[in-house]
Each structure stands twice: as structure tokens, then as C-alpha cells.
Amino acid sequence: GGRRLERGQAVHPAAPGLVNGLVAASPSSGDACAAWVHRTAMQAVAALENEPSLGEATVAGSLGLLDLAGAQADRRAAALRMYNVINGHHLDMRRAAAAAEGEDSDGVSAEAEERGGGGGDGDGGGAEAWGSEERLRGYAAAATQIGTRDWVRAGIDWSVRQADAFYREGEGCRLTKREAVRESYRRSGGPPTDEVRAMLLRLAREGGGREAGEPIKLLDVGSCGTLFDERYEGVRATALDLCPQEGNRAVLQCDFLQLRVSPAGSEPEVEPHDRFPAGALRSLAEGSFDAVVLSLVLSYLPLPHQRGEMVLKARQLLPSPDPPEVHLAAAAAAAAAVTA
């Protein structure tokens, strides 16, 4: 799995000195030295890939390859601590939920202790597992750190691209057209006329698309930090989390499973909160968002029925389009009016 120097690829003038310094620091000699140098150098390369800013200090002589390898080891240890905090919290939640439902939670408890989650005394641990302030603070801090990882950013970028494609690049309109064409086959055994097809696409664009300056209203569920930030000009995000990042003025505190869905057109209900400056979100209006991003939060819920409830609630907050037969009838009537 090593990286090879391609033929003709330039070697940085500082490289020989860095390698020699690493060889001199080796605790062994011979083949063992070569293996240790290779392993340590690969860790140093990984550190530079994760933190390119370390390269300047390395070239300047402030850092050696052993220092970089140490930085990479620290990064891996921090990642493991974050994993243990998050995974342990989720395992405790599953254990508490299983106890509350009268199920056997021994397997979950043992795994939690093995992972470092700990917690609980066998009585379900509801308050401790679900609402401990100290645990929630640690969880929020770890989740916020994970939100800076490249793979998380890639997921956020993908979500925005999908929303743009659906509302601005015609994917939603084409979906409406496909469903109406399928309805035509179901009803009459054949496709609609070319005129009706064209009208389907036109009406769908008029009813469901977004202009360049019209933001896509996005709800980010389970966002300790602010992920859909000013980098995404075409998105107007509302972020919520059970325990938001400390001091974040953009993320609302909210238990999404307890959130009330109010009638369409009503204003969101937000109450002041002592710890979270954005406030505590109590209700949102039905159909008030164009997209809902759940990301990893579904996998964090301890029980299957909770995941189902969360998806159902998310769907209630999205618009409800007319059924395919309505689109088909409207397109047929509009096409007939044009040709009349």
C-alpha cells in the first residue's frame, strides 16, 4: 500500500535530510530499521495529506518526519475518542430504549462497555442515557468535530447538488412527467401524445421549479454545528439538534421526534433557551420545506419504529404534490386548449 515516486517526478530538496533524520532516530537497525522508517514515513505522509499546512513547517525545518508521524498518531487517537463518545452514547441509548420496551439489552450493554460507552445500572437508564448534560455536551463536541471531516463535507456537497438538480436542473419536472406517462399507460395502455408530454414538462417547471434567486428551503436534522453555511448561496437552511454546538447561534435545540407539525402556513414556534442562543424549536408548519437532510441521524436512533417516525415527520414537512392523474388531466386540458 506504499506510495511510489513516478519516473521523472522531482524530489524536494528537503526530502533527503528528512529521511536521513528519520533513519538516525530509528530505534533499531537493518531490516527492522527499514520497516520502521517506512511505516513512520507513511504516517508522516498521511499527516501532510490531512493537514497540508504542516508542509511549510516541515520544509522550513521546524518539523521532522517523526514529528509528523506523531501528529498523525494524535489525530488517529482523537478520532478514536470521538468514535467512542458517539458510539458509546448511541449504545447507551439503545440499551435504555430496550429496557424501556422490556427487551433484553445485555448484548448492547456489553458492547457499550467494550467500546467505552459504559453507563447505566440495568434499570433502563432512561434519564442518564438520553438526557445527561455531561454526556450530551461531550457528544455535541465530538459530533461537531466530525462535521469538519472531508467525508462529511462531501456528503453535504452531495445533498446540495441533489437539491439543485431536483429544483433547478429539471429532475423534479422530469420525475413528474415520468409518473404521469406511467399513469397514462396504466389507464389507456399507451403513452400520452407528444403535445401532452410537452405540456406535462412545461406545467411541472412552472409549478415545481426554482428560479436562480429563489432559495431552496432545507431542514437539517441532527446538525450539532452549521454545515449548510454561506458556501451554499442557493440554500436557506434551518438547522436543529438535540444538543447543538455550544454558543452556535444558528442551530435550534430540538428533539425532532417531539416536534409538533402545525398547519400549513403557520409560523415556527421557537422558545428562548438558557444554553442555546438560537432557542428551542417546538413546531414547524406542514409542507414548509423543499428538502430535509437526515444524514447519519437515522442510524443513531436506537429503535426501528423511531426511525420510521422520523421519516414520517420529515415527509410531513415536505410539500405534497398532486397525484399523477391530476398532472395528466391538467396537461391534456392545456394541450387541447392550445390546439383549439
Side-chain angles (χ1 to χ4, degrees), residues 176 179-180 196 199-200 203-204 321-332:
T176 297
E179 290 180 342
V196 172
M199 190 59 68
L200 275 169
L203 294 178
D322 292 327
E325 57 267 26
V326 173
H327 288 288
L328 186 62

Side-chain angles (χ1 to χ4, degrees), residues 75-91:
R75 178 183 174 88
R76 290 175 61 88
L80 181 60
R81 286 194 298 272
M82 286 189 293
Y83 171 81
N84 284 336
V85 167
I86 291 176
N87 194 54
H89 183 70
H90 296 158
L91 289 169

Side-chain angles (χ1 to χ4, degrees), residues 6-25:
E6 299 295 334
R7 184 182 299 276
Q9 184 176 346
V11 177
H12 195 280
L18 289 167
V19 174
N20 289 337
L22 190 58
V23 172

Side-chain angles (χ1 to χ4, degrees), residues 88-101 103-110 112-113 118-126 128-130 302-303:
H89 183 70
H90 296 158
L91 289 169
D92 278 345
M93 290 172 64
R94 293 186 180 95
R95 179 171 176 265
E101 302 245 335
E103 299 175 2
D104 181 13
S105 62
D106 289 345
V108 173
S109 177
E113 292 176 2
D121 55 6
D123 64 353
E128 182 180 356
W130 292 92
L303 298 174

Side-chain angles (χ1 to χ4, degrees), residues 158-169 216 218 235 291:
W158 180 89
S159 298
V160 172
R161 287 197 303 271
Q162 295 302 308
D164 277 336
F166 191 87
Y167 286 107
R168 294 200 174 95
E169 298 171 12
I216 295 171
L218 182 145
V235 170

Side-chain angles (χ1 to χ4, degrees), residues 57-316:
T58 305
V59 171
S62 302
L63 294 175
L65 296 184
L66 195 57
D67 299 316
L68 293 175
Q72 178 63 10
D74 290 343
R75 178 183 174 88
R76 290 175 61 88
L80 181 60
R81 286 194 298 272
M82 286 189 293
Y83 171 81
N84 284 336
V85 167
I86 291 176
N87 194 54
H89 183 70
H90 296 158
L91 289 169
D92 278 345
M93 290 172 64
R94 293 186 180 95
R95 179 171 176 265
E101 302 245 335
E103 299 175 2
D104 181 13
S105 62
D106 289 345
V108 173
S109 177
E111 186 180 357
E113 292 176 2
E114 180 181 349
R115 295 290 189 182
D121 55 6
D123 64 353
E128 182 180 356
W130 292 92
S132 164
E133 286 292 322
E134 182 178 355
R135 285 173 183 244
L136 285 174
R137 284 174 189 253
Y139 174 83
T144 300
Q145 285 297 313
I146 284 181
T148 66
R149 301 289 184 173
D150 289 342
W151 62 272
V152 175
R153 295 296 343 165
I156 299 302
D157 292 342
W158 180 89
S159 298
V160 172
R161 287 197 303 271
Q162 295 302 308
D164 277 336
F166 191 87
Y167 286 107
R168 294 200 174 95
E169 298 171 12
E171 284 299 323
C173 305
R174 289 187 283 273
L175 175 61
T176 297
K177 177 185 171 184
R178 286 196 300 270
E179 290 180 342
V181 170
R182 190 179 297 118
E183 176 66 15
S184 176
Y185 274 98
R186 190 188 69 80
R187 283 183 157 198
S188 62
T193 65
D194 290 344
E195 293 77 13
V196 172
R197 283 175 177 262
M199 190 59 68
L200 275 169
L201 203 54
R202 174 183 167 185
L203 294 178
R205 286 197 181 102
E206 291 175 355
R210 295 291 183 276
E211 299 297 331
E214 186 180 2
I216 295 171
K217 294 175 291 183
L218 182 145
L219 180 64
D220 184 14
V221 181
S223 178
C224 287
T226 311
L227 299 178
F228 294 91
D229 52 24
E230 63 277 358
R231 281 173 282 194
Y232 308 104
E233 296 180 356
V235 170
R236 187 172 70 209
T238 298
L240 58 89
D241 195 89
L242 182 63
C243 185
Q245 177 187 17
E246 290 289 336
N248 193 308
R249 297 185 173 276
V251 182
L252 295 155
Q253 191 280 328
C254 178
D255 181 345
F256 191 67
L257 290 176
Q258 301 300 318
L259 178 75
R260 295 191 303 275
V261 179
S262 55
S266 56
E267 292 296 319
E269 183 183 348
V270 180
E271 298 176 352
H273 197 288
D274 293 339
R275 280 184 53 200
F276 305 113
L281 180 65
R282 301 304 184 206
S283 71
L284 288 171
E286 178 183 357
S288 54
F289 289 89
D290 300 315
V292 178
V293 176
L294 299 173
S295 189
L296 298 177
V297 70
L298 283 176
S299 66
Y300 294 166
L301 291 173
L303 298 174
H305 72 78
Q306 291 176 324
R307 294 190 281 275
E309 291 168 10
M310 181 169 280
V311 171
L312 177 60
K313 186 163 292 185
R315 182 63 189 88
Q316 292 174 327

